[in-house]
Amino acid sequence: DGAYSNGGMEMRKRSNAALERAISLDPNYSFAAAWLIANRVEQGELAKAYQDAKALVARHPENAQAHFALGYVLRYGGAMEESAHECDAALALDSGNYGWRSCAFTFNQLGNYAHAMDFLQLDAGSVWTSNNIMRNYIRDGKLAQAKEMAGKLKDEELGYRIMTACIENPSSANVASLGREVVAARLADPDPEPRYIVAGDLLFCGQKDGAVQLLKSSIAGHFCAYTGLQNDSAWAKLRGTPEFAELLSAAKQCRDG
């Protein structure tokens, strides 16, 4: 509810409490431990999440959930090659688990869209995956496929609506209005990664100022996308601008810190 709906921090805190209780009852319950790690990193507790994820993998090197959790934290910290390694380890240990789907974001930052699609296909058919497949089509310049996918996503959540509206009519006044709504909604969410992802949507839709605002906020929230800013084609329109140089410098400091 906190991550995908409007439950906010109250629901995130309840989630944390439930997961901590589960771990107290069963210290080897790796699913709860991994989920708690993801919650912490989404709330900006990167150092604590990293320590816990490293310890979880050390205790359970055979556990796919542990490797996924570590890959998740490493993505936020900007260690993309290491994140990719952990994602592939999780996939090798449990090749059909749709829970690994967000590893696609690691490979997007590396510019490896084909492998990103492998992870998205683990959850084929969901709205979340369809939206991110649409994003990957755009990255690959496959706008006809992106437009076809957009036609299947009408009347969905706000973040999806701006993309469908933009693909159909980029100059529409509705795109600018939706862009402002998207920025406000993402800034209200403590998780910095969606700000980074949605910033790419806004840039594609010609909403540069909103995109830069979300990227700045994402980096300030400890999402250190130094590799992604350099490799992901989503940022092609931004590269070479003064704003981009500042963002890249901030992302590097975030990663190295």
Side-chain angles (χ1 to χ4, degrees), residues 93-158:
L93 289 164
D94 186 358
S95 61
N97 194 324
Y98 78 94
W100 315 152
R101 64 185 189 177
S102 73
C103 280
F105 298 149
T106 290
F107 291 95
N108 283 343
Q109 286 202 43
L110 292 167
N112 188 345
Y113 305 129
H115 201 26
M117 195 70 80
D118 293 336
F119 284 93
L120 291 175
Q121 293 296 347
L122 295 171
D123 191 33
S126 74
V127 171
W128 185 96
T129 292
S130 296
N131 189 56
N132 283 294
I133 287 175
M134 179 174 66
R135 289 183 172 117
N136 272 32
Y137 282 148
I138 291 169
R139 284 179 167 90
D140 258 353
K142 299 175 180 176
L143 296 184
Q145 291 95 319
K147 190 169 185 178
E148 180 182 355
M149 186 69 73
K152 302 174 183 177
L153 291 168
K154 291 191 181 296
D155 300 322
E156 294 293 348
E157 187 263 348
L158 174 63

Side-chain angles (χ1 to χ4, degrees), residues 236-251:
K237 293 180 182 178
L238 198 58
R239 295 190 184 112
T241 66
E243 295 95 332
F244 183 78
E246 293 175 10
L247 289 165
L248 194 62
S249 176

Side-chain angles (χ1 to χ4, degrees), residues 182-195:
V182 167
V183 170
R186 291 278 60 90
L187 291 177
D189 183 349
D191 186 355
E193 184 176 50
R195 296 175 220 160

Side-chain angles (χ1 to χ4, degrees), residues 29-87:
Y29 188 20
S30 57
F31 179 79
W35 198 343
L36 184 59
I37 288 164
N39 279 8
R40 283 182 172 146
V41 78
E42 289 173 5
Q43 293 164 35
E45 301 173 31
L46 193 56
K48 172 64 172 169
Y50 178 69
Q51 292 168 2
D52 289 349
K54 287 283 286 184
L56 185 62
V57 170
R59 290 197 308 272
H60 301 288
E62 79 296 340
N63 187 279
Q65 194 77 48
H67 287 280
F68 171 76
L70 181 55
Y72 199 85
V73 178
L74 289 167
R75 183 167 77 242
Y76 277 65
M80 304 316 299
E81 294 290 351
E82 295 90 337
S83 176
H85 175 79
E86 296 300 329
C87 282

